[in-house]
Amino acid sequence: MAGSLEEIAEDEENVRKASSYLSNVVLPKFIQDLCTLEVSPMDGQTLTEALHAHGINVRYIGKIADGTKHLPHLWDICTNEITVRSAKHILKDVLRDTEDHEIAPAIAHFFNCFFGNCQAVAAKSASGIMHSRLQRKAVTPSSGKSSRAEGRWKNGVSYKKNLSSYTGITLEGLWSDIVEFAKLKYLFELPFDARSQVKKVSVIRNLCLKMGITVAARKYDLGAAAPFQISDILDLQPVVKHSIPLCSEAKDLVETGKIQLAEGMLSEAYTLFSEAFSILQQVTGPMHREVANCCRYLAMVLYHAGDMAGAIMQQHKELLINERCLGLDHPDTSHSYGNMALFYHGLNQTELALQHMSRALLLLSLSSGPDHPDVAATFINVAMMFQDIGKMDTALRYLQEALKKNEKLLGEEHIQTAVCYHALAIAFNCMGAFKLSHQHEKKTYDILVKQLGEEDSRTRDSQNWMKTFKMRELQMNAQKQKGQAINSVSAQKAIDILKAHPDLIQAFQAAAGAGGSGSSLNSPNRPFSVIGETFPRGRGVDERAARAAAELRKKAAARGRLIRPHGVPVQPLPPLTQLLNIINSGSALESSNSAEANKTTKEGNNQPESGLTETLDDQIKSEEPHQAPVGLGRGLGSLDSKKQKAKPKVSG
């Protein structure tokens, strides 16, 4: 407050301008980035980091929650974080008023009221204890120091007046205080059913991280009255804010390396990342988060260069650092497992890759719950792994589940939903179901036209895919019609031969009667193509010889020659042999048609997914260019056109 009145007025005006800029520009832009998945927090911790990275204090989280009501996963993350932070402040006040030997019972009782259905412990004696403590506080003169907790309440009223003893905490009273604190601190109205809607496992994890509480690792019955026992509270450690050393030189090298990587200059990018890695080793030590980031980028460079073994080695380093520095259940650790799975898949070790993917899904569901876009993106990666090993039914189940999640979380017209439709179109194309491929790609195209416009490159790529699927569908239909037409001609020829030779019909009927089946020539239980197998051979007719001669004649006719054995003139074929030749020619035509269709399908499978699959996610996350649609939230698209054909995308 020092200075003249003019200086004070100018400072206040600057504060008003900064506040207006934060409210009108920074917060709306951050909410927009959340909606487009350019910023995709996985839990309360990553949401806090994203807020601080954009210069936003956590006390504005209420406005962030109000702006993301239409996205269920963001709404859940915001409401859970507000609930946990409110409960944290209340628990701190409780622990300040608790004796050291009662800390474990106090935490256990607080958790039971917070997550279970526990009521007050020893309610009769609690009132006496609370009354005596209030009397002692009234008699003891104040030291003149006001605690931070007392300043958190409106008009200087503290939580301590209601929470003088942990034994007096009740379920209804605790949640009432949480709702009131959220309203005063974060200007946010928690929903009336917040207690039933909160994700208890995520909230327990978040609260323990913020308070430094260690609980026993076991399966808790959170629906019971008292799921936590005193023995479950293992430790309480201080959580302090600390300054993380930053190395500006290494940071600049990493940023320059990312640009080189995006432009496909792999050698230059590898040199820059290696230099940054060496500097960080000396400044921060080997076990640091920034060192893990360098290892991740080195693994990505080696992956795009085709060195899968080197990529796995660097990725393994990142995984170890993240597990020790961030924890086993941190979202970055789950992304490390996902990238490791993609690298193993690049080495054709699909079974090992699927094991890492299952671990990534487990950690993602633990940190952010099963309803999150990154879980759906991981499902797409798993589906493509099953697709590559030929398990198309399993791949389709994962893709359809990913589509359901994205439609529920992001809406039916979101770009990530279009990615799911395109992945389904590719899967149906691999199965030869070109009509379904065209239908799903049409939905992809409609979404992209509405979101990006017709002139966008991704929209044009989707249109080209749609034309390709339509052309393959028409080719398959034409082949089927051609085969049906030739089969009908062959059948008519067989009927004409039978009409010209009634003795053949009698012989067939006699053979059917001798077989004991009692079926006639037109019986559906007696296929026409196998009648000749049961026909009794006469003395003058050798059926196998006739078949062999017919095959030789067909081959000779194809080569432009005619066989005359031993100079004997060509004799007319018996009617039965003609009939068998007609049947054989029809079956040969069907097999050639099916082989041609399989060839077309294989060609479609080998066609590179250039265009849409490699560029759709650019709109979703712009932190790194050429984003893949099926990464674990962040990734770089293929940087080398020669390697675009068969490489899955890696999350960044």
Side-chain angles (χ1 to χ4, degrees), residues 151-316:
R152 294 190 187 113
W153 276 94
K154 213 172 186 180
N155 301 325
V157 182
S158 173
Y159 271 119
K160 293 185 178 181
K161 71 172 187 179
N162 294 327
L163 302 177
S164 298
S165 172
Y166 76 89
T167 55
I169 301 175
T170 62
L171 185 149
E172 292 81 6
L174 175 59
W175 277 95
S176 176
D177 290 337
I178 289 174
V179 170
E180 188 173 356
F181 190 95
K183 188 186 301 182
L184 295 175
K185 176 75 174 179
Y186 303 108
L187 303 178
F188 181 74
E189 188 78 33
L190 282 172
F192 67 93
D193 58 346
R195 180 177 173 272
S196 59
Q197 294 296 326
V198 75
K199 295 183 177 179
K200 294 184 178 181
V201 175
S202 299
V203 168
I204 292 173
R205 170 182 174 272
N206 199 350
L207 183 59
C208 288
L209 288 174
K210 284 181 168 56
M211 293 292 297
I213 299 172
T214 304
V215 298
R218 67 178 182 86
K219 188 173 182 179
Y220 294 93
D221 183 11
L222 298 178
F228 291 88
Q229 306 298 325
I230 298 176
S231 58
D232 293 328
I233 312 302
L234 302 181
D235 197 6
L236 178 65
Q237 297 176 346
V239 178
V240 296
K241 294 183 179 179
H242 59 280
S243 176
I244 301 175
L246 296 177
C247 181
S248 58
E249 185 179 356
K251 183 178 180 181
D252 294 339
L253 288 171
V254 170
E255 293 299 325
T256 308
K258 288 164 65 175
I259 296 173
Q260 299 290 340
L261 179 60
E263 294 177 354
M265 304 174 70
L266 301 181
S267 178
E268 292 81 356
Y270 185 84
T271 302
L272 291 169
F273 290 139
S274 299
E275 188 175 351
F277 178 81
S278 300
I279 294 174
L280 287 172
Q281 288 270 30
Q282 300 173 19
V283 175
T284 64
M287 302 303 292
H288 194 272
R289 192 172 184 176
E290 294 301 322
V291 178
N293 289 336
C294 282
C295 292
R296 181 175 75 249
Y297 287 121
L298 285 171
M300 293 172 64
V301 172
L302 294 172
Y303 171 77
H304 290 295
D307 185 2
M308 293 296 172
I312 289 177
M313 183 180 67
Q314 294 293 339
Q315 188 62 38
H316 188 63

Side-chain angles (χ1 to χ4, degrees), residues 331-468:
D332 287 356
T333 306
S334 62
H335 288 164
S336 299
Y337 275 104
N339 285 353
M340 184 75 79
L342 293 179
F343 295 154
Y344 276 122
H345 181 64
L347 284 176
N348 294 325
Q349 298 185 21
T350 307
E351 184 177 353
L352 191 57
L354 289 173
Q355 291 178 5
H356 282 77
M357 273 297 185
S358 65
R359 181 64 179 269
L361 284 172
L362 173 64
L363 298 181
L364 284 175
S365 62
L366 180 64
S367 61
S368 58
D371 297 328
H372 194 276
D374 278 16
V375 177
T378 308
F379 278 171
I380 298 178
N381 270 340
V382 175
M384 289 193 170
M385 290 182 182
F386 279 112
Q387 180 176 313
D388 288 346
I389 61 176
K391 295 184 178 181
M392 298 304 302
D393 294 340
T394 308
L396 283 178
R397 285 200 298 270
Y398 274 101
L399 289 176
Q400 289 167 353
E401 186 65 25
L403 178 62
K404 290 179 183 178
K405 287 183 178 296
N406 280 335
E407 286 181 340
K408 177 183 176 182
L409 298 173
L410 306 174
E412 297 181 355
E413 297 181 350
H414 197 276
I415 293 181
Q416 196 71 0
T417 306
V419 172
C420 289
Y421 278 121
H422 177 70
L424 280 167
I426 297 298
F428 284 122
N429 173 70
C430 294
M431 299 175 67
F434 302 122
K435 185 175 182 180
L436 290 174
S437 296
H438 181 267
Q439 292 175 357
H440 284 77
E441 194 62 37
K442 179 66 168 58
K443 294 180 180 179
T444 304
Y445 177 76
D446 293 340
I447 295 173
L448 294 180
V449 167
K450 187 169 184 179
Q451 298 293 336
L452 306 176
E454 295 182 356
E455 299 302 323
D456 192 89
S457 60
R458 288 155 286 185
T459 307
R460 291 197 297 268
D461 290 333
S462 177
Q463 188 177 17
N464 293 334
W465 272 110
M466 199 163 48
K467 291 179 181 178
T468 302

Side-chain angles (χ1 to χ4, degrees), residues 39 58 106 150 152 186 250 291 312 324 330 355 409 434 514 531 558 632 645:
V39 178
V58 181
E150 292 174 355
R152 294 190 187 113
Y186 303 108
V291 178
I312 289 177
R324 284 159 177 76
H330 194 275
Q355 291 178 5
L409 298 173
F434 302 122
I531 291 177
L632 296 178
K645 293 187 178 181

Side-chain angles (χ1 to χ4, degrees), residues 529-602:
S529 59
V530 297
I531 291 177
E533 297 177 5
T534 58
F535 178 73
R537 298 185 182 89
R539 293 181 181 178
V541 178
D542 190 346
E543 182 182 339
R544 281 182 287 186
R547 284 187 180 181
E551 290 295 329
L552 288 174
R553 286 187 177 86
K554 285 163 59 177
K555 292 180 180 179
R559 297 172 183 172
R561 296 195 298 249
L562 184 62
I563 296 179
R564 294 174 181 268
H566 305 291
V568 180
V570 177
Q571 300 294 329
L573 292 175
L576 178 60
T577 306
Q578 295 180 25
L579 185 61
L580 293 175
N581 289 341
I582 292 172
I583 296 171
N584 293 334
S585 64
S587 61
L589 178 65
E590 289 181 358
S591 62
S592 65
N593 287 339
S594 62
E596 189 173 348
N598 291 335
K599 181 181 179 182
T600 304
T601 304
K602 291 180 180 179

